[in-house]
Structures are given as C-alpha cells and as structure tokens.
Amino acid sequence: ISQPYSMITVHHLEKSQSFRIVWLLEELGMEYELKVYQRQPDTMLAPPEYKKLSPLGTSPTIVDGDTTLCESNAIIDYIMDLTTTTTTAESSSSTDLRPDASS
C-alpha cells in the first residue's frame, strides 16, 4: 500500500483491545509506530501519560498527523478509508451478498 497518510502511531495499553488495530495494520501491510503503556499496578487503570491522549483511559488510541481517534470501530473505519486500493475495491465489489441484491 502506498502511504497517503502520515505515520500512524498506535498507543497500546496493555491488556486491551489495541491488538485489533495492530492486527489490521499488519494485515494491510501498513507502516505504523507502536507505543506501549503499562497499566498502573495498584488500579489497573491507564497511566497519566496515556490519559493525555484518551482522557477516559480507553484503548486503542491512534494518532495520524493532527487526527487522534480513541475507539476501535472508528479507528478501523478510518484506516479502511485510508486504504482505498484496487485490492480492497476488487474484493468488496466482486460479490454482493445483500439479500435484496437480485431485485
């Protein structure tokens, strides 16, 4: 995939759903930077430096240039919008699986 985006940084909080975003970026062959944060041992909450990105301490969080997103579905949609390549276009348009597609 050509890189029409700045380097995406994935802010990964241990024991979280951030692995979904890392997996997606790996599958798409996209370059990214991974920053790993450890939870606070006494509370298992996100550390203060992570809460600067995501005030609620939710994970995953990505930063792409001036864009910061903090919810897996929004992040997945964002990444998929960045990757409008022939490969994804062909695979999504080759078969229409909607029940009303024949009408």
Side-chain angles (χ1 to χ4, degrees):
I1 292 177
S2 62
Q3 190 167 325
Y5 53 92
S6 57
M7 176 69 73
I8 291 176
T9 302
V10 178
H11 295 271
H12 171 71
L13 182 60
E14 69 172 343
K15 299 177 185 166
S16 72
Q17 297 179 13
S18 304
F19 70 88
R20 295 175 178 178
I21 305 309
V22 173
W23 170 79
L24 177 62
L25 292 167
E26 289 288 331
E27 286 296 316
L28 293 172
M30 295 176 70
E31 294 182 24
Y32 62 94
E33 179 183 354
L34 183 64
K35 291 193 177 183
V36 179
Y37 299 82
Q38 302 300 314
R39 292 182 179 274
Q40 297 179 49
D42 54 337
T43 62
M44 295 306 291
L45 297 175
E49 62 270 18
Y50 189 87
K51 288 186 175 182
K52 289 177 184 175
L53 294 165
S54 176
L56 295 176
T58 59
S59 181
T61 299
I62 67 162
V63 176
D64 182 22
D66 293 334
T67 302
T68 300
L69 294 171
C70 302
E71 199 280 323
S72 11
N73 287 329
I75 293 169
I76 290 168
D77 285 346
Y78 178 81
I79 291 169
M80 294 310 295
D81 285 346
L82 290 176
T83 60
T84 54
T85 64
T86 310
T87 306
T88 55
E90 286 175 3
S91 65
S92 64
S93 65
S94 62
T95 305
D96 192 345
L97 300 176
R98 292 176 295 162
D100 62 347
S102 61
S103 45

